[in-house]
């Protein structure tokens, strides 16, 4: 990617919608640029899901090794932290559209190489790492671009919520679609479908969004040093740091039941269908919670509920100490997932608290940190479950999560009361968190 010439200052974001014309999910699709970003998200999401399944099956068919097959899947998560820190500067150093299109093209090239019959297993795993390094840069840049398209107000919050809802829906049905595709074509053929989705995403973003200059002037230092300095600058600001912690910590504990779904289902004596419902319960709760909060609550109400939900969202898991039956357990997991609606109130605070020149890097760091936190939470829970029953580990995650999130929420509330602080406001202009 060539060094850009000195960019002009970013174009001002469109004004946030007023309370009298409060946006809804449906109104966002009236904007052609949002439609392009949304459809590109669908394409890249489909490509990612299919590639994960196809690559795992391909590696197992070539090696017969469960470890290497699992490693092919895990390598989609582990490099997120590296990509989100060492490459975060790309999101602000270059025009956003160029970064997004280049990320899609890099992914398309990697998948094309994976589909070649001559690519060895080591090459497949290396290409999987490249895909994972690119992913947080793409996601962070896309979220920052969403702010450019929708403004910093409630339209941005709902737009980001829609992308999350689509992602959770993909977890519910996407793997089933990928499995059906593999029943029709071999793994390398399924990878060709992934290639088409990445190229389609690149075309939508190139043709459907307008050029915007880079948010930050080109740094005199190299990319890695610039990325690390940008990450330090974001984390040095108190409000973004607290918002990031609240966006990372609750999911790290809420993901524990998903990571332990198989042994938990076995302890309850339920079969494969029961296991599938356990895995789907939290995602279904997240989709329902976000939709209801986005449709029924005002921006001020979502902002007021953000910190209580973040602080207490994992507490229902503590009831697993009582060894609930299968149906009550599904209800507990659904409620835990629904509490993730707190992100609608927190997103506005986060984006408002970050300087525009750091916004792309901040979004990239947020994405990388979220994936890393969930990976660590799952791994640690699995290690503890080697010695304790699954219901005790899940209950412990609920209690420990509350103990960690409650002080963070209280600190965030105190930070929002600092005179002159930015952040989400209600219709009167008063801070709502």
């Amino acid at each position: 990617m060539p060094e850009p010439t000195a960019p002009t200052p970013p174009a001002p974001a469109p004004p946030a919608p007023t309370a009298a014309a409060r946006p809804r999910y449906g109104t966002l699709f009236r904007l052609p640029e949002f439609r392009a970003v949304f459809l590109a998200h669908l394409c890249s999401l489909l490509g990612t899901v299919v590639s994960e399944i196809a690559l795992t099956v391909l590696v197992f068919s070539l090696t017969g090794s469960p470890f290497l097959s699992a490693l092919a899947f895990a390598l989609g998560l582990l490099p997120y932290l590296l990509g989100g820190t060492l490459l975060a500067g790309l999101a602000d150093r270059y025009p956003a559209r160029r970064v997004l299109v280049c990320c899609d093209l890099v992914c398309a090239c990697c998948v094309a190489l994976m589909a070649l019959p001559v690519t060895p297993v080591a090459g497949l795993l290396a290409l999987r790492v490249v895909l994972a390094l690119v992913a947080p840069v793409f996601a962070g840049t896309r979220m920052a671009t969403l702010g450019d398209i929708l403004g910093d107000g409630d339209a941005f919050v709902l737009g980001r919520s829609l992308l999350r809802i689509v992602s959770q829906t993909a977890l519910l049905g996407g793997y089933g679609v990928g499995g059906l595709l593999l029943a029709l074509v071999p793994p390398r053929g399924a990878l060709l479908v992934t290639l088409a989705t990445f190229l389609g995403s690149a075309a939508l973003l190139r043709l459907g969004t307008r050029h915007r200059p880079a948010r930050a002037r080109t740094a005199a230092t190299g990319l890695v040093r610039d990325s690390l300095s940008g990450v330090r600058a974001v984390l040095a600001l108190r409000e973004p740091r607290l918002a990031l912690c609240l966006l990372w910590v609750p999911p790290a504990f809420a993901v524990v039941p998903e990571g332990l779904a198989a042994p938990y289902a076995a302890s309850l004596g339920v079969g494969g269908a029961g296991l599938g419902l356990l895995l789907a319960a939290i995602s279904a709760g997240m989709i329902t919670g976000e939709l209801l909060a986005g449709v029924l609550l005002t921006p001020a109400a979502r902002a007021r509920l953000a910190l209580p939900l973040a602080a207490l969202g994992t507490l229902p898991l503590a009831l697993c100490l009582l060894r609930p039956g299968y149906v009550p357990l599904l209800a507990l997991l659904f409620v835990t997932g629904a509490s993730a609606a707190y992100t609608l109130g927190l997103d506005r605070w986060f984006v408002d608290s970050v300087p525009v020149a750091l916004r792309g890097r901040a979004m990239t760091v947020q994405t990388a940190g979220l994936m890393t936190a969930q990976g660590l939470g799952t791994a640690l829970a699995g290690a503890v479950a080697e010695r304790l029953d699954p219901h005790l580990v899940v209950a412990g995650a609920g209690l420990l999560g509350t103990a960690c999130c409650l002080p963070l929420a209280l600190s965030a509330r105190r930070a929002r009361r600092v005179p002159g602080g930015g952040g989400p406001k209600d219709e009167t202009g008063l801070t709502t968190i």
Side-chain angles (χ1 to χ4, degrees):
M1 197 178 291
E3 288 286 336
T5 56
T8 57
T18 63
R22 186 160 63 90
R24 304 287 184 180
Y25 283 121
T27 61
L28 303 181
F29 291 98
R30 298 175 186 171
L31 299 174
E33 281 193 284
F34 177 77
R35 291 199 300 268
V37 171
F38 183 82
L39 291 174
H41 178 61
L42 286 178
C43 284
S44 61
L45 190 62
L46 175 62
T48 299
V49 170
V50 172
S51 67
E52 286 177 350
I53 301 174
L55 186 61
T56 300
V57 173
L58 178 60
V59 170
F60 183 73
S61 66
L62 292 174
T63 65
S65 168
F67 169 73
L68 289 177
S69 178
L71 182 62
F73 188 86
L75 286 176
L77 299 177
L78 297 178
Y80 253 78
L81 184 60
L82 287 176
T85 53
L86 302 183
L87 303 179
L90 290 171
D92 292 317
R93 283 165 65 107
Y94 301 93
R97 186 175 67 178
R98 186 191 307 175
V99 174
L100 292 172
V101 172
C102 286
C103 285
D104 268 332
L105 293 179
V106 168
C107 291
C109 290
C110 289
V111 172
L113 292 174
M114 288 178 177
L116 294 176
V118 295
T119 304
V121 172
L124 294 173
L125 297 179
L127 291 167
R128 184 73 171 111
V129 170
V130 175
L131 288 174
L133 289 173
V134 170
V137 178
F138 180 85
T141 307
R142 181 182 59 206
M143 286 303 177
T145 300
L146 209 60
D148 295 334
I149 295 171
L150 300 176
D152 297 339
D154 197 47
F156 167 78
V157 174
L158 293 183
R160 189 170 184 185
S161 172
L162 265 179
L163 298 191
R164 279 197 300 263
I165 289 170
V166 170
S167 297
Q168 290 300 321
T169 304
L171 291 179
L172 291 177
Y175 290 123
V177 173
L180 178 61
L181 181 63
L182 286 174
L184 301 175
V185 298
R188 293 191 192 273
L191 288 172
L192 292 178
V193 174
T194 299
L195 170 62
T197 62
F198 282 127
L199 291 176
S201 174
L204 284 166
L205 293 169
R206 177 63 182 82
L207 301 176
T209 61
R210 68 181 180 87
H211 170 79
R212 292 177 175 85
R215 293 179 182 84
R217 294 189 177 277
T218 305
T221 58
L223 171 61
V224 172
R225 182 174 297 181
D226 180 41
S227 298
L228 292 175
S229 66
V231 171
R232 286 194 296 268
V234 171
L235 296 179
L237 300 172
R238 187 185 182 202
E239 291 193 24
R241 185 171 65 247
L242 284 170
L244 284 172
C245 288
L246 284 169
L247 289 167
W248 292 341
V249 176
F253 292 97
V255 78
V256 168
E258 294 182 352
L260 299 181
Y264 208 142
S267 71
L268 294 173
V270 299
L275 171 60
L277 287 177
L278 281 180
L279 287 169
I282 287 184
S283 292
M286 293 178 70
I287 293 170
T288 304
E290 289 224 16
L291 281 174
L292 292 178
V295 171
L296 300 179
L297 300 181
T298 64
R302 292 197 295 266
R304 282 193 294 269
L305 286 173
L307 295 182
L309 285 177
L312 304 175
T314 63
L315 191 57
L317 297 179
L319 294 176
C320 289
L321 282 172
L322 304 178
R323 289 181 176 269
Y326 180 66
V327 174
L329 176 61
L330 288 178
L332 291 177
L333 297 182
F334 183 88
V335 171
T336 300
S339 71
Y342 81 89
T343 54
L344 275 78
L346 202 61
D347 279 343
R348 175 83 180 272
W349 178 32
F350 178 50
V351 74
D352 284 351
S353 66
V354 176
V356 173
L358 294 173
R359 190 164 291 172
R361 277 167 281 191
M363 295 294 182
T364 302
V365 169
Q366 189 268 323
T367 301
L370 175 62
M371 298 300 292
T372 303
Q374 290 179 311
L376 288 175
T378 302
L380 291 174
V384 176
E386 290 288 327
R387 297 182 176 275
L388 297 178
D389 288 340
H391 76 280
L392 293 177
V393 180
V394 173
L399 292 171
L400 185 58
T402 303
C404 293
C405 296
L406 188 57
L408 284 173
L410 294 175
S411 297
R413 181 169 292 278
R414 286 193 295 269
R416 302 310 300 126
R417 290 174 177 169
V418 175
K425 310 278 195 297
D426 63 14
E427 291 83 355
T428 67
L430 298 176
T431 300
T432 55
I433 289 183

